């Protein structure tokens, strides 16, 4: 992990659009050194904005998740289109925080993942891992006049890593604590957890994708309760009963027992998965709200099961801090509290402890971009399984006005 102890006070923008495809998160941050921590930095969020994707853009992005539909013309067009939307989101958040674009060192843009296949494929003797994020950084750089860093994940994959999760790098720098062992559980489309042991050195941090976050719930709600696209507040699940047979079927997925490091995505828990559940539902005459209650329980179970499997043998955590959109699903939180009670782990939302989790991933890509600009390694090798540290991210430069980047 690159040392950040010499961080300069810097302004950056981070852009994230996640696997739920709900919209673009944009954060403008001020990065400063935090003298009391060895690798410490402080990231003050100056402004944060979420811009939902228009429904027609969202459905065009969804078309790209099926590789047979994702023809090069569609991918190429969406790559440029998203570049425009990301640039607008960046300019808007910069306007909101009152800074001029010239004051921003760089924009870190995650892009939209349309394909993620971290398992190794051997082709002609080459060990290939692959992941695709789109949203052209050349467009972002040229619309904003700010260097834009994108395509973070592939550098980690080039040295054998999963290319995910990447947020633990920033979580370690921002949230590690001398006395408390914390579990930072993000519940977006996919669920992912970062384990920050008390007083951990960078080598002791670990993280992995726990499995589905809201992806299965969203997929089923969209099919069974259209035009709803999510179970707002967890109210549908709260009115349903768990179907034991369905839960057992869902728990059989091999992902839950795969060894670390591991990451996953829509390829495993996306459209095809929801379609299979609907088939089972129709064959068994299950009620729609019971199916949603069961999918919600699966997410909670996958998080608790992974705690018992990978974390509890090494660390007793005090807190499970929930962030991401799933933290608004009250039924999911109740299920998590019930399942974690026997382990003596308190389940809180990040908001409960005074931090804004909505901005976390966007902030993370701003911090990663800072390290790219300084040519400092920014992958966490024991998290991704990469064989060595690398500088992730590709820089797109805007037209260079004299004096601007000297
Ligand atoms: N009020 C709410 N009630 C219930 N669920 C909600 C609510 N708000 C958001 N969500 C869920 O959270 C999801 C969005 O979460 P988030 O923005 O953290 O995901 P993401 O960043 O796209 O995903 P990932 O972290 O996997 O990349 C929505 O699709 C929905 O399922
Ligand atoms: C390939 C990809 O986009 N993965 C996402 C996804 O969403 C959550 C989880 O799966 C995590 O692995 C990752 O995102 C976050 C930002 C990460 O890299 O840490």
């Amino acid at each position: 992990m690159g040392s950040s102890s010499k961080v300069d006070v810097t302004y950056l923008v981070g852009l994230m659009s996640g696997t739920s495809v709900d919209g673009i998160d944009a954060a403008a941050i001020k990065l400063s050194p935090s003298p009391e921590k060895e690798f410490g930095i402080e990231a003050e969020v100056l402004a944060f904005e979420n811009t939902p994707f228009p429904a027609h853009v969202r459905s065009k992005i969804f078309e790209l998740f099926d590789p047979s539909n994702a023809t090069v013309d569609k991918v190429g067009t969406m790559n440029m289109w998203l570049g425009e939307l990301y640039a607008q989101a960046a300019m808007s958040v910069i306007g909101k925080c009152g800074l001029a674009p010239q004051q921003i060192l760089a924009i870190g843009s995650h892009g939209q993942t349309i394909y993620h296949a971290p398992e190794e494929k051997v082709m002609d003797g080459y060990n290939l891992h692959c992941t695709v994020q789109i949203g052209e950084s050349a467009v972002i750089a040229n619309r904003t006049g700010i260097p834009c860093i994108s395509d973070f994940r592939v550098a980690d994959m080039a040295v054998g890593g999963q290319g995910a999760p990447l947020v633990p790098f920033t979580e370690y720098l921002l949230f590690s604590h001398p006395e408390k062992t914390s579990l930072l559980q993000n519940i977006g489309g996919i669920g992912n957890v970062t384990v920050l042991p008390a007083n951990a050195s960078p080598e002791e941090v670990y993280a992995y994708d726990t499995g589905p976050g809201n992806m299965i719930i969203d997929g089923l709600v969209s099919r069974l309760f259209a035009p709803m696209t999510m179970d707002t507040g967890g109210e549908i699940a709260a009115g349903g009963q768990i179907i034991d047979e369905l839960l057992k079927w869902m728990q059989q997925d091999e992902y839950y027992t795969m060894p670390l490091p591991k990451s996953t995505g829509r390829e495993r828990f996306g459209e095809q998965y929801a379609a299979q559940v609907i088939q089972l539902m129709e064959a068994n005459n299950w009620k729609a709200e019971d199916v949603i209650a069961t999918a919600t329980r699966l997410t909670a179970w996958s998080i608790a099961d992974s705690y018992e499997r990978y974390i509890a043998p090494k660390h007793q955590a005090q807190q499970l801090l929930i962030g991401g959109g799933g933290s608004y699903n009250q039924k999911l939180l109740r299920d998590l509290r019930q399942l974690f009670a026997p382990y003596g782990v308190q389940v809180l939302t990040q908001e409960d402890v005074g931090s804004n989790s909505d901005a976390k991933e966007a902030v993370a890509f701003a911090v990663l971009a800072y390290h790219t600009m300084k040519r400092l390694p920014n992958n966490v090798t024991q998290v991704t399984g990469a064989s060595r540290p690398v500088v992730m991210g590709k820089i797109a430069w805007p037209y260079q006005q004299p004096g601007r980047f000297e």
Side-chain angles (χ1 to χ4, degrees):
M1 195 178 284
S3 167
S4 294
S5 49
K6 290 191 218 103
V7 69
D8 310 317
V9 173
T10 314
Y11 299 102
L12 296 127
V13 167
L15 300 173
M16 175 73 197
S17 57
T19 54
S20 301
V21 201
D22 50 345
I24 305 167
D25 291 337
I29 67 161
K30 178 183 174 187
L31 206 61
S32 337
S34 171
E36 63 273 16
K37 295 191 211 158
E38 190 193 353
F39 291 98
I41 53 171
E42 270 165 29
E44 183 189 346
V45 179
L46 303 176
F48 172 74
E49 227 172 18
N50 172 274
T51 312
F53 281 125
H56 65 287
V57 175
R58 188 167 192 259
S59 74
K60 282 197 182 301
I61 295 172
F62 267 85
E63 277 179 38
L64 306 181
F65 294 143
D66 174 359
S68 63
N69 249 328
T71 50
V72 284
D73 54 333
K74 288 187 197 162
V75 173
T77 305
M78 187 50 77
N79 182 44
M80 301 304 274
W81 191 351
L82 283 176
E84 300 288 356
L85 298 181
Y86 291 150
Q88 270 174 23
M91 289 311 281
S92 173
V93 83
I94 292 167
K96 207 169 158 183
C97 74
L99 290 170
Q102 294 81 339
Q103 292 173 275
I104 311 284
L105 176 75
I107 297 171
S109 177
H110 170 265
Q112 180 65 52
T113 296
I114 58 166
Y115 189 65
H116 184 64
E119 301 82 16
E120 198 164 83
K121 282 191 200 105
V122 181
M123 305 285 265
D124 283 350
Y126 298 108
N127 298 332
L128 307 178
H129 305 245
C130 114
T131 189
V132 181
Q133 284 74 43
I134 58 170
E136 184 49 58
S137 52
V139 173
I140 304 171
N142 281 290
R143 296 292 174 271
T144 59
I146 303 168
C148 179
I149 295 135
S150 64
D151 255 342
F152 289 87
R153 300 186 189 277
V154 283
D156 183 79
M157 283 192 158
V159 292
Q162 298 261 318
L166 304 186
V167 168
F169 177 78
T170 315
E171 287 177 325
Y172 174 73
L173 295 175
L174 296 178
F175 299 116
S176 53
H177 193 279
E179 282 135 32
K180 279 189 190 157
T181 293
S182 296
L183 309 178
L184 303 181
Q185 175 72 48
N186 175 61
I187 309 183
I190 293 296
N192 56 299
V193 69
T194 301
V195 185
L196 295 177
N199 201 26
S201 66
E203 294 72 32
E204 289 168 318
V205 175
Y206 59 105
Y208 56 91
D209 287 355
T210 48
N214 298 289
M215 191 173 277
I216 301 175
I217 303 170
D218 286 359
L220 293 169
V221 169
S222 306
R223 285 174 162 76
L224 299 171
F225 294 89
M228 290 173 77
T229 56
M230 67 170 82
D231 181 11
T232 308
E235 285 181 15
I236 303 174
Q241 301 291 325
I242 290 163
I243 306 163
D244 289 333
E245 192 185 337
L246 176 60
L247 185 61
K248 283 208 182 81
W249 178 84
M250 289 172 147
Q251 289 168 337
Q252 297 310 312
D253 195 292
E254 63 177 7
Y255 184 75
Y256 304 116
T257 52
M258 276 162 59
L260 305 187
K262 61 179 181 176
S263 64
T264 189
R266 257 182 204 284
E267 296 67 27
R268 190 181 283 273
F269 297 115
E271 299 309 291
Q272 277 187 344
Y273 189 102
Q276 265 182 298
V277 174
I278 300 283
Q279 266 185 2
L280 286 172
M281 173 185 154
E282 286 169 355
N284 290 283
N285 280 322
W286 290 327
K287 284 200 222 146
E289 59 270 30
D290 292 350
V291 169
I292 305 300
T294 308
T296 305
R297 173 56 73 125
L298 176 77
T299 293
W301 168 83
S302 65
I303 294 168
D305 180 71
S306 85
Y307 176 73
E308 177 165 325
R309 198 179 293 277
Y310 308 109
I311 304 173
K314 291 192 272 185
H315 297 104
Q316 163 69 48
Q318 281 84 51
Q319 295 183 330
L320 178 75
L321 297 176
I322 311 291
S327 64
Y328 300 111
N329 184 325
Q330 300 306 323
K331 177 68 170 89
L332 183 53
L333 291 179
R334 284 201 293 279
D335 282 6
L336 281 165
R337 288 191 176 115
Q338 192 189 342
L339 294 174
F340 271 92
Y343 302 109
V345 178
Q346 195 184 13
V347 177
L348 297 168
T349 65
Q350 296 220 337
E351 274 65 20
D352 290 335
V353 295
S355 75
N356 173 356
S357 76
D358 290 343
K360 191 170 81 174
E361 291 182 343
V363 170
F365 283 91
V367 174
L368 289 167
Y370 174 84
H371 288 75
T372 316
M373 292 298 279
K374 300 286 176 186
R375 281 181 69 175
L376 290 167
N378 48 8
N379 61 335
V380 185
T381 54
Q382 74 275 16
V383 166
T384 62
S387 60
R388 62 177 167 82
V390 284
V391 181
M392 299 186 296
K394 299 175 186 166
I395 309 175
W397 294 97
Y399 167 71
Q400 189 167 348
Q401 290 156 341
R404 167 77 170 87
F405 302 116
E406 280 148 22

